[in-house]
Amino acid sequence: MLQKIIVTGGCGYIGSHTVVELISNNFEVVIIDDLSNSNKKTLERITKITGVCPSFEHIDLKDIEKTKSIFKKHNDAVAVIHFAAFKAVAESVKEPLMYYRNNLLSLINILEFQIEEGITNFIFSSSATVYGAPEKLPITEKNEVQRPFSPYGNTKKIAEEILEDLVKTSSNLSAISLRYFNPIGAHESGFLGELPNGIPNNLMPYITQTAAGIREELHVFGNDYDTKDGTPVRDYIHVVDLAEAHLKALQRLLNKEQEKPLEIYNLGTGNGYSVLEIIKSFEKTTNTSLNYKIVKRRPGDVEKLYADTTLAEEKLNWKCKHGIDEMIASSWKWEENLKNEQ
Ligand code: WQD
């Protein structure tokens, strides 16, 4: 009998790559997704890669009754991995209440009903954005969490605070929060990748869509930062490395190896790359020339962010395997496959 894992947001970018890893490691997966920022076609993509089609529950996790009944239906699950959330920084600034309602209400419903049904393990999709503009680099989990600039980032900070309070009172909940740096890349098959709705907010999909002729020109938001070439530095991590980290975190909880009821880990590579370095690597890796222009800074952007990955490597027995060129090549292969699907 396979152990069942509930994956919320499993039709999304990081969620779907994690579902592939879970199925490939003999877990049964139930995806809960409202498809507000993802596509049901992802189920076919997961099936194509793994040969298994995960169960799918199409509900809005803000709906208390529906969430309660879904957790009752799947109360034989041994863990929940929670990805489902709105995640566009700029949109969250324009629509703060939509973000607080969606990201926090769904979290509260999930936690309440999984505890009610005796599902004791919870893995949370958090973000390095909770560090704000870091006072020191590389960022360790001991770095002070600051008031994130965006409501999106603040929902991640508040969610972790909810977990901190909950594990103090609810003895039957063990949680791991994973703070992602910048996820990019796609599954090596080219059948699965990032599929942002509308105009991409993030750098990598904007680059690949510009190279594919979908976008006219990439705007590089500022080259007057105090960095090697003036453009901001980020710790880009391959989405498959990220997915594997979730599997390691799950195994830590299932083996009851956690040292405290809530553990927090940074998931990055420890290497920082500037925007121009990413562009240069893209041009070299894909042998194309990218159309871009330097424009003014994007409000809220942080100058430099990269992780100290020691804790995750040690406690999760996990280490990134993919380098920046592989991340970029896989993103481009995915973009080209998308074009061929049209
Ligand atoms: C990366 C760099 C931009 C687009 C955000 C969230 C984080 C996570 C990842 C969800 C920055 C520059 C970007 C463009 C550009 N989100 N850029 N032109 O802002 O580091 O992180 O996305 O989980 O929580 O905060 O990622 O990809 O938007 O930007 O120059 O068209 O690329 O200025 O320096 P970011 P990003």
Side-chain angles (χ1 to χ4, degrees):
M1 188 71 172
L2 301 184
Q3 290 181 305
K4 181 188 277 187
I5 312 296
I6 292 172
V7 179
T8 74
C11 286
Y13 174 41
I14 302 164
S16 57
H17 285 82
T18 303
V19 168
V20 166
E21 288 306 313
L22 289 168
I23 293 173
S24 309
N25 284 272
N26 288 324
F27 286 100
E28 180 191 348
V29 172
V30 177
I31 290 177
I32 301 178
D33 205 306
D34 66 2
L35 301 179
S36 61
N37 191 22
S38 56
N39 193 306
K40 200 174 175 190
K41 190 169 176 10
T42 304
L43 295 173
E44 292 166 32
R45 299 178 189 282
I46 292 170
T47 309
K48 195 169 177 180
I49 294 169
T50 64
V52 174
C53 185
S55 311
F56 174 61
E57 304 285 2
H58 184 190
I59 65 151
D60 178 351
L61 289 160
K62 297 190 292 298
D63 183 314
I64 292 182
E65 287 316 311
K66 286 189 181 140
T67 304
K68 184 182 175 76
S69 70
I70 281 294
F71 274 82
K72 188 169 284 305
K73 176 180 174 184
H74 296 290
N75 62 13
D76 55 334
V78 293
V80 173
I81 306 182
H82 177 42
F83 294 99
F86 293 160
K87 62 160 201 161
V89 171
E91 183 187 49
S92 78
V93 174
K94 288 195 212 97
E95 304 281 353
L97 284 182
M98 183 176 91
Y99 270 68
Y100 286 116
R101 178 180 291 115
N102 185 68
N103 291 6
L104 296 178
L105 251 186
S106 49
L107 172 78
I108 291 163
N109 287 344
I110 290 162
L111 289 169
E112 177 174 352
F113 298 125
Q114 83 165 79
I115 288 171
E116 201 169 276
E117 294 301 330
I119 304 170
T120 57
N121 299 304
F122 181 77
I123 293 172
F124 179 61
S125 163
S126 188
S127 169
T129 201
V130 301
Y131 295 112
E135 76 278 6
K136 74 178 185 57
L137 289 166
I139 299 175
T140 74
E141 291 79 358
K142 291 192 170 44
N143 264 64
E144 197 192 329
V145 170
Q146 303 183 47
R147 175 55 158 93
F149 156 74
S150 70
Y152 155 75
N154 206 29
T155 67
K156 295 298 184 182
K157 178 174 177 290
I158 296 169
E160 290 188 347
E161 290 165 353
I162 291 172
L163 287 171
E164 260 165 38
D165 289 345
L166 193 56
V167 295
K168 281 183 201 140
T169 54
S170 165
S171 56
N172 47 9
L173 183 77
S174 297
I176 291 181
S177 181
L178 299 173
R179 291 173 177 171
Y180 310 157
F181 280 67
N182 285 61
I184 63 170
H187 189 266
E188 61 186 1
S189 63
F191 299 141
L192 195 59
E194 190 169 6
L195 206 51
N197 285 346
I199 301 172
N201 298 295
N202 294 131
L203 178 66
M204 202 65 236
Y206 209 106
I207 287 179
T208 56
Q209 289 190 11
T210 303
I214 299 167
R215 306 288 160 206
E216 184 62 33
E217 172 184 66
L218 169 74
H219 286 174
V220 174
F221 299 135
N223 67 345
D224 58 348
Y225 289 90
D226 180 16
T227 63
K228 49 192 105 167
D229 55 26
T231 61
V233 169
R234 293 290 183 275
D235 185 334
Y236 297 95
I237 175 171
H238 197 295
V239 66
V240 172
D241 281 331
L242 207 53
E244 286 174 3
H246 288 75
L247 187 69
K248 295 285 190 178
L250 174 66
Q251 285 160 345
R252 183 172 173 87
L253 290 177
L254 296 180
N255 298 336
K256 301 199 181 314
E257 290 163 353
Q258 74 277 11
E259 289 151 18
K260 44 188 196 243
L262 170 62
E263 292 186 334
I264 293 176
Y265 296 102
N266 286 344
L267 295 184
T269 65
N271 305 312
Y273 288 92
S274 74
V275 176
L276 286 179
E277 283 178 319
I278 294 292
I279 292 171
K280 295 281 166 284
S281 172
F282 180 83
E283 292 181 323
K284 179 191 75 170
T285 310
T286 61
N287 196 21
T288 58
S289 147
L290 194 75
N291 184 23
Y292 70 91
K293 182 171 79 177
I294 308 281
V295 297
K296 64 183 187 352
R297 292 183 175 194
R298 178 172 69 174
D301 269 344
V302 167
E303 182 167 85
K304 254 182 259 179
L305 270 183
Y306 53 93
D308 177 317
T309 59
T310 315
L311 198 63
E313 288 173 12
E314 187 193 310
K315 302 292 184 188
L316 299 183
N317 182 28
W318 164 83
K319 189 154 177 54
C320 286
K321 298 185 193 116
H322 300 81
I324 196 69
D325 290 346
E326 271 180 282
M327 296 181 212
I328 287 170
S330 64
S331 293
W332 181 232
K333 181 177 177 184
W334 161 245
E335 189 68 63
E336 290 190 304
N337 276 13
L338 273 179
K339 210 167 178 178
N340 299 336
E341 284 181 4
Q342 306 302 342

